[in-house]
Amino acid sequence: MALAADLRSGIMMMPVLDSDSLEVLAFRLDAEPEAIRAIGDCLSEDEFRRAEVLRLERDRRRFVATRGQLRHLLASRLGVLPSDVELEYGRVGKPCLSRRMPDQSLRFSVSRSEDVAVIALSKAREVGVDIEAVRPVPETDDIAALCFSAPEYESYRNLRPEERLEGFLRSWTRLEAISKAFGCGLGGPFPSNERDFTVITFVPKPAYIGTVVVRN
Ligand SMILES: CC(C)(COP(=O)(O)OP(=O)(O)OC[C@H]1O[C@@H](n2cnc3c(N)ncnc32)[C@H](O)[C@@H]1OP(=O)(O)O)[C@@H](O)C(=O)NCCC(=O)NCCS
């Protein structure tokens, strides 16, 4: 697969999906301190404040790397400087381009899990993405019973025990991706039909599972 466009950020992005209407790019977060400092240069005051209150250095580094990379990617598509990308936030925190940006039809969604992050980009279609590292989750049965729809829960229960973790993570990332596309948060309710979305499962890196949804 070809490498992503040169973003001059120092952290390499790999295309995971690339079509006319939808792109998903993945990158590692645990880069060298100089790379993190360089990419973090473009963050806004608010974003620096957000990073500062994170207790763990690892979380600060991962937040800065993700947000810096998002700014570089959006800037490269908008033809502006990364530090000039202006973001706004919805009622429960969904980020989007400010009305002052040259092209607000560019939609994006971001997810990170452990040392990997992904950014999904779409032109004019609402998009949501979520990834999870495949690692044991002790409460899968309880979460599935609480959060999955009845047919989804039944499919999950019908999986063989050794398939359950991945089956759970596929459904979970789908749910998170749809809630991000709507911007409503996991508490929902979803404002329109989930069937309005195309759902794609992908592997951003071995031992990770991701789902991206894009409005039809
Ligand atoms: C954000 C959320 C959708 C997923 O978070 P997560 O899986 O823990 O973390 P991810 O890394 O996959 O996604 C985080 C990114 O999603 C984006 N995001 C945050 N809120 C969002 C929202 N409401 N809609 C869409 N995207 C959102 C941001 O880009 C965020 O990145 P940042 O932390 O660098 O700013 C989830 O926490 C959520 O539903 N929050 C909304 C508030 C809410 O419902 N609270 C619970 C009430 S019961």
Side-chain angles (χ1 to χ4, degrees):
M1 218 181 243
L3 292 182
D6 173 13
L7 298 178
R8 301 186 195 290
S9 66
I11 298 179
M12 190 171 289
M13 292 189 110
M14 295 295 296
V16 178
L17 296 174
D18 192 359
S19 74
D20 283 349
S21 54
L22 176 67
E23 261 181 277
V24 179
L25 298 143
F27 50 101
R28 298 285 302 274
L29 295 173
D30 291 344
E32 293 299 315
E34 309 84 73
I36 303 287
R37 254 194 307 279
I39 199 171
D41 258 3
C42 62
L43 266 57
S44 67
E45 297 264 313
D46 281 358
E47 290 165 341
F48 276 123
R49 273 197 293 274
R50 232 191 108 184
E52 263 166 26
V53 297
L54 295 171
R55 202 168 49 84
L56 297 180
E57 190 279 327
R58 183 200 65 194
D59 293 345
R60 287 196 293 277
R61 173 167 25 100
R62 290 176 175 177
F63 170 76
V64 168
T66 309
R67 191 47 74 97
Q69 201 71 322
L70 174 67
R71 284 183 165 275
H72 277 265
L73 184 58
L74 294 174
S76 74
R77 302 304 160 92
L78 296 168
V80 300
L81 291 172
S83 54
D84 288 342
V85 171
E86 275 187 41
L87 301 176
E88 293 176 351
Y89 296 89
R91 199 174 42 84
V92 283
K94 180 179 167 94
C96 65
L97 286 172
S98 135
R99 271 157 283 223
R100 284 190 288 273
M101 289 289 95
D103 179 5
Q104 302 105 51
S105 68
L106 187 60
R107 305 291 155 87
F108 65 89
S109 180
V110 177
S111 180
R112 61 177 179 273
S113 179
E114 299 195 347
D115 72 331
V116 174
V118 294
I119 299 175
L121 284 179
S122 168
K123 199 83 179 137
R125 296 189 194 186
E126 212 43 82
V127 65
V129 73
D130 192 64
I131 60 167
E132 294 291 342
V134 180
R135 53 164 184 235
V137 181
E139 324 81 14
T140 47
D141 289 354
D142 294 344
I143 300 171
L146 197 67
C147 300
F148 292 179
S149 65
E152 204 164 29
Y153 182 63
E154 197 178 321
S155 313
Y156 167 75
R157 295 291 302 175
N158 287 334
L159 292 172
R160 290 200 300 270
E162 65 274 18
E163 299 168 336
R164 287 251 173 108
L165 177 59
E166 288 208 21
F168 171 83
L169 291 174
R170 260 195 303 279
S171 295
W172 178 254
T173 53
R174 179 181 153 282
L175 200 63
E176 285 258 33
I178 291 174
S179 85
K180 284 179 174 180
F182 284 132
C184 61
L186 272 181
F190 294 159
S192 75
N193 203 318
E194 295 177 36
R195 283 193 290 269
D196 294 345
F197 288 88
T198 297
V199 176
I200 302 169
T201 303
F202 62 92
V203 175
K205 187 183 166 231
Y208 284 77
I209 284 185
T211 301
V212 61
V213 303
V214 64
R215 199 182 273 278
N216 294 325

